[in-house]
Amino acid sequence: MSKFARRFLFLFVLVVGISAAVIYTTVDINTLHNLTRFHPWSLLLALFAVGLGMFFDGSRLMHLVKISNEKITLYQAVQVIFGNYFLALLTPGATGGAVAQVMFLRHAGVPTGKAAVLVIVRTLLSIFFLALCMPFIFLHDEGIVPGISNDVLMAVTLAAFVGIVLIVVGARRGYLDYLVVWIARRLRDKKRHQLFGLYRDTKSAISLLLGAPRQMLVVFAESGLNLLCIYAVVPCLLLGLGVTDADWYTVMGRIIFLNMLLYFSPTPGGSGIAEGGFVLLFAATVPAGTVGIVAVCWRLIAEYLPFLIGFYYTVTVFGREFLRRY
């Protein structure tokens, strides 16, 4: 059995097992009654929201490529986006997503160095948007994490934000060069080259971000719209269950908070953490007995469907031989 086949089988067993466990542990006597009130049109609305999110994601990628003085088509941008979903779900911490993006960008004619920089910029913009949302979420939603006060969460967020700013300034002005060299001297050759490569690409990404502020503002807005549209899947599903009086500010805030955590999840695609976090955050909002089902539907529409499309594009562009090697 190839390495890819083992990974795919592991992911399939993991996803099915987690989904079944989440649904089994959350159903109750009210489940069937609440599901009979479900409106199928909400699924179409959720799919439309994901499609719109993918459009903004493709648009921001094309703008980034243009800023770097390269050019790709919308179809090539779509391949990059879905390829990211495919390999991200197959690897711990979604590390394969970055590799997939570089591969598809190279296939589209973007040099490897620029492709790596563009991938870093995309990630930084998404995380930066989510980080900016955090204070507004914590000020509105008291006790979002049981046992941890919002003051502590706010302090951690502000500290992280200040840390990001210091890293950007330090890398831009060369202050971090000394720290990177000091760390590199204590690493083996392979790790040393990887560290220098990552640091070089990060500095290039920061230069790209700061070198075209107006265009980057447009890209940043598209990053926000991309994320908000994809996160809107949850409100769509809630509307389908007849939830019309929810605090939508809180709903969107919690899904943003959860997805921020998933960026740092060690499991493939955040499997397990996503479903468990969803049940914890939305148990009081979703109709009784349906929170597990909604969690699985959310993951199916927002993650697993793009994963399958990414699988198709990967095989179409690179052939089955790539899967055997990977």
Side-chain angles (χ1 to χ4, degrees):
M1 184 181 292
S2 67
K3 188 176 181 180
F4 167 77
R6 291 195 300 269
R7 285 181 173 178
F8 190 89
L9 180 61
F10 172 76
L11 176 66
F12 178 79
V13 173
L14 181 67
V15 168
V16 172
I18 290 173
S19 300
V22 168
I23 293 175
Y24 177 77
T25 56
T26 55
V27 296
D28 60 26
I29 195 172
N30 301 299
T31 302
L32 186 59
H33 172 70
N34 287 325
L35 286 180
T36 57
R37 300 186 299 174
F38 182 74
H39 302 289
W41 54 260
S42 66
L43 294 176
L44 296 177
L45 189 61
L47 290 172
F48 174 77
V50 170
L52 192 60
M54 297 300 176
F55 168 78
F56 285 120
D57 202 3
S59 178
R60 72 165 175 163
L61 178 59
M62 293 181 68
H63 284 137
L64 278 175
V65 172
K66 185 177 180 180
I67 292 172
S68 69
N69 297 316
E70 301 291 337
K71 186 177 181 181
I72 62 174
T73 65
L74 179 59
Y75 183 65
Q76 289 170 328
V78 168
Q79 291 177 339
V80 175
I81 293 164
F82 285 109
N84 172 42
Y85 276 93
F86 173 59
L87 284 188
L89 272 176
L90 286 176
T91 50
T95 53
V99 175
Q101 292 178 69
V102 172
M103 287 169 40
F104 277 100
L105 284 170
R106 285 179 55 190
H107 185 267
V110 180
T112 303
K114 284 187 178 180
V117 171
L118 293 174
V119 171
I120 293 175
V121 170
R122 275 166 49 83
T123 304
L124 289 176
L125 287 174
S126 295
I127 293 177
F128 188 60
F129 174 80
L130 295 178
L132 287 180
C133 292
M134 291 300 111
F136 299 100
I137 295 171
F138 298 144
L139 288 172
H140 176 79
D141 191 359
E142 189 65 35
I144 186 172
V145 179
I148 304 178
S149 70
N150 280 21
D151 292 337
V152 172
L153 293 174
M154 182 72 77
V156 171
T157 300
L158 292 177
F161 184 79
V162 172
I164 292 172
V165 173
L166 291 177
I167 291 173
V168 170
V169 174
R172 180 70 170 175
R173 298 190 177 182
Y175 300 147
L176 286 181
D177 295 359
Y178 305 101
L179 177 61
V180 172
V181 171
W182 181 82
I183 296 174
R185 287 174 177 171
R186 288 155 177 78
L187 300 175
R188 294 182 178 179
D189 288 343
K190 184 178 180 180
K191 294 292 184 181
R192 185 183 301 121
H193 290 311
Q194 290 176 343
L195 176 62
F196 282 139
L198 177 62
Y199 185 58
R200 181 192 64 243
D201 292 341
T202 302
K203 290 186 70 172
S204 299
I206 292 172
S207 297
L208 183 63
L209 281 168
L210 301 178
R214 290 186 178 180
Q215 290 124 308
M216 278 299 170
L217 187 60
V218 174
V219 176
F220 178 72
E222 289 176 323
S223 298
L225 290 171
N226 155 240
L227 295 173
L228 292 176
C229 286
I230 293 176
Y231 299 164
V233 168
V234 174
C236 291
L237 295 176
L238 295 185
L239 288 173
L241 284 170
V243 179
T244 58
D245 57 348
D247 182 350
W248 299 113
Y249 191 126
T250 299
V251 169
M252 287 300 293
R254 293 194 171 196
I255 200 67
I256 289 172
F257 175 75
L258 178 56
N259 278 274
M260 182 67 168
L261 295 181
L262 295 182
Y263 269 94
F264 309 99
S265 168
T267 60
S271 298
I273 296 176
E275 291 84 355
F278 189 94
V279 172
L280 177 65
L281 294 175
F282 292 98
T285 305
V286 180
T290 62
V291 63
I293 296 173
V294 175
V296 172
C297 288
W298 160 58
R299 293 287 286 171
L300 178 64
I301 296 172
E303 294 288 340
Y304 303 140
L305 183 59
F307 165 83
L308 293 176
I309 298 174
F311 172 71
Y312 166 77
Y313 280 130
T314 301
V315 173
T316 301
V317 174
F318 300 106
R320 294 184 179 180
E321 287 299 320
F322 167 78
L323 299 181
R324 295 190 182 98
R325 294 195 306 270
Y326 191 80

